[in-house]
Amino acid sequence: MGQRRLHRKTILDALENETDPRTGQPFFPAAICSRMAAGCPLLFNHLGVNELERVVRTELDRVAGLLQLQYYKRVSFDDLVPMCLVLKEGARADARTLCAQAGTFLKNELFKFCQLFKTERLEEAFDQIDSIHLGLDGRPSDFEPDVSDLFEQQARPRALLIADADLTALYRENIAAVDWHFTSTADEHRQLGVDHRNGCASGG
């Protein structure tokens, strides 16, 4: 076996045997390892802001669960905290960076929490409370307009439904928050020349 192939096999073996110390499960699924062994390309989808928000939320929930297991104290978060952490990182944020930042954020907040009790030991601070909730200073409506627009949709969403009038009436009745428009056919929609920014749905 040539030196180059030996190095390649060593790396692949290491990837296959690498495990997460927290769970004991492989870091790299067998499907990924087999593709790398065969020299196949690996494609990764770009994560949008909603997917990144879920990544942060999952990481915060995971760390909160570990704290509860270790200290028997419940740690919860305002529903907007994960999105704030995503927006703080900006357009170039990726899942790995956001996971690390979520952990850093939580450590910093817990350190500040301990300082309220004039201690740097989390155990001593936790002895005096039942739970911790991390929230925002104010609500999005209190923020500057450019910031609050990131959290609260100002305009009523519009949607174009390619369907008959009866189905459109059903949508209007059951999803009142959307401004529904309808056409009977896709050709009729093209003739309208109206910009419906929220996309186009179709129904029978």
Side-chain angles (χ1 to χ4, degrees):
M1 180 181 294
Q3 189 75 11
R4 186 173 178 180
R5 289 185 62 193
L6 179 61
H7 289 328
R8 183 169 176 270
K9 185 177 185 305
T10 302
I11 293 171
L12 289 171
D13 286 344
L15 291 176
E16 289 176 357
N17 295 314
E18 185 73 18
T19 58
D20 186 336
R22 298 166 298 182
T23 64
Q25 298 298 314
F27 263 124
F28 299 94
I32 289 181
C33 291
S34 66
R35 283 173 172 79
M36 287 192 289
C40 296
L42 298 176
L43 301 178
F44 295 90
N45 290 332
H46 175 72
L47 296 180
V49 66
N50 291 327
E51 289 83 9
L52 292 172
E53 189 267 349
R54 285 196 292 272
V55 167
V56 174
R57 186 179 300 278
T58 299
E59 179 64 11
L60 290 175
D61 288 341
R62 184 189 71 80
V63 176
L66 292 176
L67 288 170
Q68 187 164 359
L69 284 174
Q70 184 171 354
Y71 299 104
Y72 305 102
K73 305 295 182 180
R74 182 172 180 269
V75 179
S76 59
F77 308 91
D78 189 284
D79 196 48
L80 293 177
V81 167
M83 182 59 77
C84 287
L85 292 174
V86 173
L87 296 175
K88 176 178 176 288
E89 285 303 307
R92 296 188 178 181
D94 57 41
R96 187 186 301 273
T97 300
L98 285 170
C99 277
Q101 290 301 322
T104 300
F105 162 78
L106 186 53
K107 289 175 186 175
N108 289 340
E109 293 304 310
L110 289 176
F111 178 73
K112 294 174 188 175
F113 168 75
C114 288
Q115 288 182 318
L116 296 175
F117 295 91
K118 297 183 174 15
T119 179
E120 293 186 1
R121 291 179 52 80
L122 192 58
E123 295 88 348
E124 294 177 7
F126 271 1
D127 283 343
Q128 304 180 59
I129 57 98
D130 294 320
S131 63
I132 299 175
H133 180 77
L134 301 177
L136 304 182
D137 290 333
R139 304 305 302 167
S141 56
D142 303 325
F143 302 158
E144 294 292 329
D146 289 346
V147 177
S148 64
D149 286 350
L150 296 172
F151 294 94
E152 296 180 341
Q153 186 168 349
Q154 303 299 319
R156 180 182 170 90
R158 297 181 300 161
L160 178 66
L161 187 67
I162 302 175
D164 59 32
D166 291 338
L167 183 58
T168 303
L170 186 64
Y171 272 76
R172 285 175 175 164
E173 180 181 345
N174 290 284
I175 311 178
V178 176
D179 186 10
W180 292 100
H181 300 268
F182 81 98
T183 62
S184 300
T185 66
D187 288 336
E188 186 178 334
H189 162 253
R190 284 191 287 270
Q191 291 172 2
L192 288 176
V194 179
D195 175 24
H196 292 278
R197 288 173 294 177
N198 289 74
C200 173
S202 62

